[in-house]
Amino acid sequence: MGFMGNKKVQKLPSIRRMPTYLHKLTQMRKNGLDTVSTTIMARYMNLEPIVVRKDLELTGVTGQPGVGYKIKDLIDAIKSFLNWHNTAEAVLIGAGSLGRALLGYEGFEDYGLNIIAAFDADPSKIGSEIHDREVFDIIRLPELASRLQVNMGILCVPNEYAQGSADMMIEGGINAIWNFTNVSLDVPEHVVVQREVIASGLAVLSVKLNQRIMEE
Amino acid sequence: MGFMGNKKVQKLPSIRRMPTYLHKLTQMRKNGLDTVSTTIMARYMNLEPIVVRKDLELTGVTGQPGVGYKIKDLIDAIKSFLNWHNTAEAVLIGAGSLGRALLGYEGFEDYGLNIIAAFDADPSKIGSEIHDREVFDIIRLPELASRLQVNMGILCVPNEYAQGSADMMIEGGINAIWNFTNVSLDVPEHVVVQREVIASGLAVLSVKLNQRIMEE
DNA sequence: AAAATATAGATAAAAAAATATCGATACTCT
DNA sequence: AGAGTATCGATATTTTTTTATCTATATTTT
């Protein structure tokens, strides 16, 4: 039973906020700004300044007391913290509606992610192009993943095919899986999985709504 | 400046796991099972049993020492904890690729969410139907939201229209916003927002991958 | 130039979440 | 029937995360 192997990543909440900092900082730089303080940043992001300071501390960047941080430094520090300087190539498995949406999302470039091909089992999709990416027969996944030297896979297939598709990815040498299915994958130790559960956010929203209503 | 008003929701990590419990439990019930233990559940979800027990405790459900929990009880308890017994109706704003994907996602029914209409500013989309939901002119959002008595809005517009769209929703009486844009919304105190940042998961995956590589 | 204000960084405190331990209960197998 | 095992629930502990406080530094205002 080869699972449970992933060591725990710490400071998850801070890590999750990094892309938003990055987005805002990039915007600021475009607007000609050079420095920013935690106070300003906090206001933009609806956070407490102390949270921002702690988050940024994580990237190792150092600001100037009385002044703030250099925006350029911050951007670089966050990118290298996330290793988003070096573009990662990924393949996407499952060209359904979510898969299509992800293929169409242009923001990934900014995050150092480049989806180079898609795979599906549906003959009507195989051979077609979706947002400029060719859709290959899923049978060819191990072969192509290995030949293309990809090490990230984005999994958007129906639940029942999740584990099988993951196995094929791993066979093809992929060691990072972004898992949008409703299945906890069983993977060897060297493979890293990030599961995305869309309904989690809805659950949180529901609870927030409940609690608010109950109080008033 | 009316923000920062939302009281903090606690046990967020547990809440985020609820939909996954629910999904797995529903599946188990379909397979004819009646009871489940935290050990089994933990194995399915790649968690420690103690985590599962603590999570379930939150729903108020009570199990039987030596036996486990009744699956039916758990399902009910989780649903009522999330208030997913009573279906919530929502409108979706922004019928781009992400909006379409969400309109096409059938799992929402299980989560007590019913998207009843979509809105967009693009004349070529207005009047069309996407996955059986009509797309209305965004101008009509306040009027229709109020007439349809909806209180949840799913926001999928480009960043620059986010705040404006949110304002229209609120004008139409919506008090829960599921925000898929890259913008922190400024909303009155009685409105609850849940922001979904797709790149957050990618950031976490990147860090996991980094840490693994660095160690070996 | 002096006073007031804003800032990061270091350290400390508080709160929350994750994990462990232990006793009582039920089931399983001999 | 009895021994062994699995389970929950309650309580306690540890770890992690969040938040606060204080000091030195820079900027702005008077």
Side-chain angles (χ1 to χ4, degrees), chain B residues 97-116:
Chain B
S97 56
L98 178 61
R100 269 168 204 279
L102 293 176
L103 285 168
Y105 182 53
E106 283 154 27
F108 284 142
E109 285 172 32
D110 300 333
Y111 305 140
L113 181 68
N114 185 18
I115 306 177
I116 58 176

Side-chain angles (χ1 to χ4, degrees), chain A residues 70-141:
Chain A
K70 282 194 175 172
I71 289 178
K72 192 180 168 317
D73 289 359
L74 276 181
I75 291 176
D76 283 349
I78 294 174
K79 279 196 176 173
S80 76
F81 176 74
L82 298 174
N83 199 28
W84 283 359
H85 268 126
N86 322 323
T87 304
E89 301 201 318
V91 291
L92 183 143
I93 295 88
S97 57
L98 178 60
R100 270 168 203 279
L102 293 176
L103 285 169
Y105 182 55
E106 284 156 25
F108 285 142
E109 286 173 29
D110 300 333
Y111 304 140
L113 181 68
N114 184 18
I115 306 178
I116 58 175
F119 292 85
D120 205 293
D122 180 349
S124 73
K125 285 175 189 159
I126 295 167
S128 72
E129 283 203 351
I130 300 178
H131 294 287
D132 299 331
R133 257 72 52 107
E134 187 168 349
V135 181
F136 294 98
D137 189 333
I138 182 121
I139 299 281
R140 302 187 58 197
L141 173 52

Side-chain angles (χ1 to χ4, degrees), chain A residues 35-42 52 67-69:
Chain A
T35 61
V36 65
S37 72
T38 50
T39 321
I40 302 290
M41 204 65 211
V52 177
V67 186
Y69 300 85

Side-chain angles (χ1 to χ4, degrees), chain B residues 37-39 54 62-63 65-66 69:
Chain B
S37 72
T38 49
T39 320
K54 281 291 172 190
T62 143
Y69 299 85

Side-chain angles (χ1 to χ4, degrees), chain B residues 113-133:
Chain B
L113 181 68
N114 185 18
I115 306 177
I116 58 176
F119 292 86
D120 205 293
D122 179 350
S124 74
K125 286 174 188 159
I126 295 166
S128 71
E129 284 204 350
I130 300 178
H131 293 288
D132 299 332
R133 258 71 52 106

